[in-house]
Coordinates of all heavy atoms in Angstrom, one line a residue:
F37 N -0.7 8.9 38.2 CA -1.1 7.5 38.2 C -1.6 7.1 36.8 O -1.2 6.1 36.2 CB -2.1 7.1 39.3 CG -2.6 5.7 39.2 CD1 -1.8 4.7 39.7 CD2 -3.8 5.4 38.6 CE1 -2.2 3.4 39.6 CE2 -4.3 4.1 38.5 CZ -3.5 3.1 39.0
L38 N -2.6 7.9 36.3 CA -3.2 7.6 35.0 C -2.1 7.6 33.9 O -2.1 6.8 33.0 CB -4.3 8.6 34.7 CG -5.6 8.4 35.5 CD1 -6.6 9.5 35.2 CD2 -6.2 7.0 35.3
Y39 N -1.2 8.6 34.0 CA -0.2 8.8 32.9 C 0.7 7.6 32.9 O 1.1 7.0 31.9 CB 0.6 10.1 33.2 CG 1.6 10.4 32.2 CD1 1.2 10.7 30.9 CD2 2.9 10.5 32.5 CE1 2.1 11.0 29.9 CE2 3.9 10.8 31.5 CZ 3.4 11.1 30.2 OH 4.4 11.4 29.2
A40 N 1.1 7.2 34.2 CA 2.0 6.0 34.3 C 1.4 4.7 33.7 O 2.0 3.9 33.0 CB 2.4 5.8 35.7
T41 N 0.1 4.6 34.0 CA -0.7 3.4 33.5 C -0.7 3.4 32.0 O -0.5 2.4 31.4 CB -2.1 3.5 34.0 OG1 -2.1 3.6 35.5 CG2 -2.9 2.2 33.7
L42 N -1.0 4.6 31.4 CA -1.0 4.7 30.0 C 0.4 4.4 29.4 O 0.5 3.6 28.4 CB -1.4 6.2 29.6 CG -1.6 6.5 28.1 CD1 -2.8 5.8 27.6 CD2 -1.7 8.0 27.9
L43 N 1.4 4.9 30.0 CA 2.8 4.7 29.5 C 3.1 3.2 29.5 O 3.6 2.7 28.5 CB 3.8 5.5 30.3 CG 4.2 6.8 29.9 CD1 5.3 7.3 30.8 CD2 4.6 6.9 28.4
S44 N 2.8 2.5 30.6 CA 3.1 1.1 30.7 C 2.3 0.3 29.7 O 2.8 -0.7 29.1 CB 3.1 0.6 32.1 OG 1.7 0.6 32.5
A45 N 1.1 0.7 29.5 CA 0.2 0.0 28.5 C 0.8 0.1 27.1 O 0.9 -0.9 26.3 CB -1.2 0.5 28.5
C46 N 1.3 1.3 26.8 CA 1.9 1.5 25.4 C 3.2 0.7 25.3 O 3.4 0.1 24.3 CB 2.3 3.0 25.2 SG 0.8 4.0 25.0
A47 N 4.0 0.7 26.4 CA 5.2 0.0 26.3 C 4.9 -1.5 26.2 O 5.6 -2.2 25.4 CB 6.0 0.2 27.6
A48 N 3.9 -2.0 26.9 CA 3.6 -3.4 26.8 C 3.2 -3.8 25.4 O 3.6 -4.8 24.8 CB 2.5 -3.8 27.8
Q49 N 2.4 -2.9 24.7 CA 2.0 -3.2 23.4 C 3.1 -3.2 22.4 O 3.3 -4.1 21.6 CB 0.9 -2.1 22.9 CG 0.4 -2.4 21.5 CD -0.7 -1.5 21.1 OE1 -1.6 -1.2 21.9 NE2 -0.7 -1.0 19.9
T50 N 4.0 -2.2 22.5 CA 5.2 -2.1 21.7 C 6.0 -3.4 21.8 O 6.5 -4.0 20.9 CB 6.1 -0.9 22.0 OG1 5.2 0.3 22.0 CG2 7.2 -0.7 21.1
N51 N 6.2 -3.8 23.1 CA 6.9 -5.0 23.4 C 6.3 -6.2 22.8 O 7.0 -7.0 22.2 CB 7.1 -5.1 24.9 CG 8.2 -6.0 25.3 OD1 9.2 -6.0 24.6 ND2 8.0 -6.8 26.3
A52 N 5.0 -6.4 22.9 CA 4.3 -7.5 22.3 C 4.6 -7.6 20.8 O 4.8 -8.7 20.3 CB 2.8 -7.5 22.6
Q53 N 4.6 -6.4 20.2 CA 4.8 -6.4 18.7 C 6.2 -6.8 18.4 O 6.5 -7.4 17.4 CB 4.5 -4.9 18.2 CG 3.1 -4.5 18.3 CD 2.2 -5.2 17.2 OE1 1.6 -6.2 17.5 NE2 2.2 -4.6 16.0
S54 N 7.2 -6.3 19.2 CA 8.6 -6.6 18.9 C 9.0 -8.1 19.3 O 10.0 -8.5 18.8 CB 9.5 -5.6 19.5 OG 9.4 -5.6 20.9
V55 N 8.2 -8.7 20.1 CA 8.6 -10.1 20.5 C 7.8 -11.1 19.7 O 8.1 -12.3 19.7 CB 8.5 -10.4 22.0 CG1 9.4 -9.6 22.8 CG2 7.1 -10.3 22.5
A56 N 6.7 -10.7 19.0 CA 5.9 -11.7 18.2 C 6.8 -12.3 17.2 O 7.5 -11.6 16.5 CB 4.7 -11.0 17.6
T57 N 6.6 -13.6 17.0 CA 7.5 -14.2 16.0 C 6.6 -14.9 14.9 O 5.4 -15.1 15.1 CB 8.4 -15.3 16.6 OG1 7.6 -16.3 17.2 CG2 9.3 -14.7 17.6
L58 N 7.3 -15.1 13.8 CA 6.7 -15.8 12.6 C 7.5 -17.0 12.4 O 8.7 -17.0 12.2 CB 6.8 -14.8 11.4 CG 6.6 -15.4 10.1 CD1 5.1 -15.9 9.9 CD2 6.9 -14.4 9.0
S59 N 6.8 -18.2 12.4 CA 7.5 -19.4 12.2 C 7.2 -19.9 10.7 O 6.2 -19.7 10.2 CB 7.1 -20.5 13.2 OG 5.7 -20.9 12.9
V60 N 8.3 -20.5 10.1 CA 8.2 -21.0 8.8 C 8.6 -22.5 8.9 O 9.8 -22.8 9.3 CB 9.1 -20.3 7.8 CG1 8.9 -20.8 6.4 CG2 8.8 -18.8 7.8

Side-chain angles (χ1 to χ4, degrees):
F37 174 77
L38 289 176
Y39 185 64
T41 308
L42 183 72
L43 268 187
S44 68
C46 288
Q49 181 173 321
T50 306
N51 199 35
Q53 292 285 95
S54 59
V55 298
T57 60
L58 164 65
S59 69
V60 185

